[in-house]
Amino acid sequence: MDFLSCMVLFLVVIWISVHAIYYSFAGRRYSPTRLPPGPNPLPFIGNLLELGSKPHISLTNLSQRHGPILSLRLGHVTTVVVSSSIVAKEVLRTRDQFFCNRTIPDAIQACDHAKYSMPWIPVSAAWRNLRKICNSHLFATKVLDANQANRHLKVQELISEVNESVLKGEAVDIGSAAFKTTLNLMSRTVFSVDLADPNSETAREYKELVWGIMEEIGKPNLADYFPVLKKIDPMGIRRRLANHFQKMIGLFDRMITQRLESRKSRDYVTTKDMLDTLINFCEEKSEDLNMAETEHLFLDLFSAATDTTSGTLEWAMAELLRNPEKLSQVQAELKQIIGKGKPVEESHIARLPYLQAIIKETFRLHPVVPFLLPRKAEVDVEICGYIVPKGAQVLINAWAIGRDPNIWDDPNSFMPERFLDSEIDVLGGNFELIPFGGGRRICPGLPLAMRMLNLMLGSLINSFDDWKLEDGVVPETLNMEEKFGITLAKAQPLIAVPVLHKNLA
Ligand code: HEM
């Protein structure tokens, strides 16, 4: 059942009586003048209809009318939307301690995920432990330096595959190619295998699975706005998500069980991958590996890494193909620093300021997690003279901040040069540009994502003489429409045609 029909049915059947009473009391708790301003709510459903199919755009438009901090009532849930860097800094840095937990979408209860999942559990000893495990086994500079050969290998495989497509005269689906590379990179780091087998459909199936997860989590869900509906899951979101989760958990369960079996063999040589490291770590403490915790951790890491990284790469390539003069400029930089056709290495990145500027500019215009992940006020918090009430959901509209005309000249144009003489980076200290969020819940995968993005984009550009759009598409008509989930994907896949170096052809 779709969102609108569900809402109508629901309106008629349940809410008229029960929640009229609730709101008549709840409305009195905060004087309307202390809540941030916002559009008038309709009875029962509040402002749900204002969200539309592209909530990041609808809420940006509303912020132009009501200001950088506004409040909405989404069914039962008071929601505060922040659309300026100054207010975002208040929430993510100054008052981080009050906003560091999240409102948890009902869908995340599927397969008990909310109980184990690092992005959703509250700040606690368990959350710190998970962040520590990730930082020490995946994201620390020395770990990333030590396994950069893995990334170079996977990116070289990407280039070889694109070369094959050229020789066969086929165009390349950039998002899918980047997804497969990121998936294999993650699975090599965690399990020492490539999950996306070149001879099978695994990568495509997995991509559909991950997109299914992002889409379901990102969908407005009546059960979130009217908690009385949680039990019946009226839109089927939790049920569908459970199905996706089960498939992924089943896959991880098989990988872990096989590994535990192989380790029993005398000939087993331990690897340095994340799974062996976790098992060794448990053995040192004479504990068994907690299967559920480990499977849910892998589920988070694989779904958080693949869609975001490949989606950003796809947006970056799309912007370059729409702006051929910027593409020429980065080609020239790569040629000068590395040499045309030569492999890009992570050690080159620091000397490629224009390439880095392109990635930042892509994040500014296309933050793939447009509202970050929702935060929740732990207590009543005063922000900019308003009260954000305890329990309110807080959304930071990174998409609106990236296009704020008070911060950015010509905000809708793709102009990487704006970052060349600027100190602004994406590390969470500059609230004008927060694609990875900020404060203690900032994305832990940031260092890996940045290395992957620079490496993949630099390699795709430098390994070919040029890139063109597929037949019949010109830069001016390239479809840049967005598809909203918890991540913001390109609605139409970018299909591009590489032109091979003559000496490689
Ligand atoms: C372009 C790539 C990526 C983007 C734009 C991105 C963005 C984000 C954002 C906006 C958040 C929420 C931060 C907040 O609430 O302030 C987040 C959280 C998270 N990300 Fe990423 N991410 C990316 C890549 C990755 C990768 C590669 C991984 C892991 C391999 C990862 C794992 C996570 C996890 C586990 C969290 C939850 C952290 C917590 O709540 O403590 N992300 N990410």
Side-chain angles (χ1 to χ4, degrees), residues 458-472:
S459 303
L460 282 173
I461 296 168
N462 201 43
S463 304
F464 302 94
D465 264 345
D466 209 354
W467 281 86
K468 292 187 188 145
L469 289 163
E470 62 180 326
D471 277 353

Side-chain angles (χ1 to χ4, degrees), residues 60-76:
T60 302
N61 294 339
L62 279 180
S63 75
Q64 280 151 12
R65 248 183 291 150
H66 299 282
I69 175 164
L70 62 86
S71 64
L72 300 165
R73 219 184 61 213
L74 301 179
H76 189 197

